[in-house]
Amino acid sequence: MDIKNVGIVGAGQMGNGIAHVFALAGYDVTINDISQDALDRGLKTIRKNMERQVSREKISAADRDAALARISTTLSLEELGSSDLIVESASERETIKSAIFEDLQPHLKAETILTSNTSSISITRLASRTDRPERFMGLHFMNPAPVMPLVELIRGIATDDATYQTMLKVVENLGKTAASAEDFPAFIVNRILLPMINEAVYTLYEGVGNVRSIDTAMKLGAGHPMGPLELADFIGLDTCLAIMNVLHDGLADTKYRPCPLLTKYVEAGWLGRKAGRGFYDYRGEEPVPSR
């Protein structure tokens, strides 16, 4: 199938980044969200990030203007029905994602491909609740989408080869590299990354090191560009906890048990950068470790 126009559900951190990438690659993009404020913030972020790319000579001003002209927004989910491809990028909660696909279904073209940017939820299960499980895939962008070169492609048990080949070509057109993953909890990147972050939280919880020493140790001792606790704040502690719960529930292995301290931070609303507090406090001029 020739993909020309793309509908994106969600204008948040991941949704606006995905829209940015598709628009720069020449696709017509329509972003949907439940509030005009969310759409306005998403567009503002896209403009700011494209301006940064222009200033760093990654793209030209003409590229920026053409890409922004390809982006439209809507509060009506049904307006995405004419899209060739839909990328769901809503909250990492299965009930929300399933409800979105259910609401979309009556308005879709027969040939529309559905994808989810989920970082951990079963693609097979999400697909089974639609009328086209053979044309349903996981399309997991890394954060921030305009910068990170990888996209995980996840086939559900019913995904047909034509859909897979189409999405492989789309990822290539975006200038990204695809890593194909089987549909098991958290796929590849988060299956490996989140237990490491969870272990860093246990290391903090057990008093082996403080926030600063843990992050410094992994940056200078293991060559990581960000420390695991700094990265957890960037991802969002609620998302980290949700992925660990998916791993723990789906694989029934105690090594995936979420650290109680991670749960406590989420209960406190200390979700990381987006909340102003997490393992670091971001409310001042410089981030300050919270422990």
Side-chain angles (χ1 to χ4, degrees):
M1 183 180 174
D2 188 21
I3 306 294
K4 293 181 178 177
N5 50 77
V6 180
I8 295 172
V9 183
Q13 186 177 36
M14 289 306 300
N16 70 62
I18 294 167
H20 175 142
V21 170
F22 271 101
L24 268 182
Y27 294 91
D28 292 324
V29 175
T30 304
I31 311 171
N32 163 261
D33 211 305
I34 57 175
S35 78
Q36 190 61 48
D37 282 348
L39 291 172
D40 292 343
R41 284 195 305 271
L43 280 177
K44 183 178 179 181
T45 299
I46 292 169
R47 287 192 190 96
K48 181 182 72 176
N49 289 339
M50 286 189 184
E51 289 288 355
R52 185 181 294 119
Q53 287 179 305
V54 171
S55 69
R56 294 176 180 176
E57 299 183 345
K58 301 288 186 183
I59 64 173
S60 68
D63 292 335
R64 174 203 61 204
D65 294 343
L68 289 172
R70 294 186 194 105
I71 301 173
S72 60
T73 62
T74 180
L75 292 170
S76 173
L77 192 62
E78 66 185 61
E79 286 187 24
L80 300 189
S82 60
S83 304
D84 300 322
L85 168 67
I86 288 177
V87 183
E88 172 275 315
S89 188
S91 301
E92 190 67 0
R93 288 170 57 186
E94 189 167 345
T95 53
I96 292 174
K97 293 179 184 296
S98 292
I100 286 167
F101 289 121
E102 183 180 340
D103 290 345
L104 271 170
Q105 195 162 289
H107 311 290
L108 297 174
K109 300 189 298 186
E111 63 272 21
T112 297
I113 292 175
L114 297 177
T115 66
S116 175
N117 183 53
T118 178
S119 52
S120 61
I121 296 167
S122 168
I123 297 302
T124 297
R125 197 162 60 238
L126 286 173
S128 72
R129 294 165 186 158
T130 74
D131 64 347
R132 61 197 67 210
E134 71 285 354
R135 288 191 296 283
F136 194 111
M137 284 198 72
L139 187 69
H140 180 215
F141 287 79
M142 304 299 112
N143 185 28
V147 175
M148 299 295 279
L150 183 74
V151 178
E152 282 185 312
L153 272 182
I154 306 101
R155 298 174 72 154
I157 197 170
T159 306
D160 64 24
D161 193 57
T163 298
Y164 172 72
Q165 293 299 331
T166 296
M167 294 312 302
L168 206 55
K169 184 179 178 183
V170 167
V171 172
E172 182 182 336
N173 290 344
L174 296 176
K176 304 289 189 185
T177 298
S180 297
E182 294 300 316
D183 185 24
F184 289 98
F187 320 130
I188 296 172
V189 173
N190 285 325
R191 170 78 175 263
I192 297 167
L193 177 64
L194 264 297
M196 184 201 74
I197 288 174
N198 194 53
E199 194 61 30
V201 183
Y202 267 114
T203 305
L204 178 65
Y205 177 59
E206 293 168 4
V208 180
N210 60 28
V211 169
R212 186 81 75 191
S213 63
I214 291 167
D215 278 351
T216 299
M218 293 306 292
K219 284 191 283 189
L220 302 185
H224 291 193
M226 293 175 73
L229 300 175
E230 183 185 6
L231 180 56
D233 277 357
F234 182 74
I235 293 169
L237 302 193
D238 51 340
T239 300
C240 292
L241 180 60
I243 295 169
M244 287 308 303
N245 281 328
V246 166
L247 281 166
H248 192 228
D249 295 344
L251 298 172
D253 192 323
T254 55
K255 72 180 180 180
Y256 298 117
R257 183 173 70 97
C259 180
L261 184 60
L262 177 60
T263 303
K264 193 63 66 180
Y265 270 64
V266 173
E267 288 175 345
W270 293 16
L271 307 181
R273 281 185 175 273
K274 63 186 176 184
R277 294 178 86 173
F279 292 114
Y280 292 85
D281 190 326
Y282 299 93
R283 294 172 297 175
E285 289 186 12
E286 295 288 333
V288 178
S290 60
R291 293 175 81 90

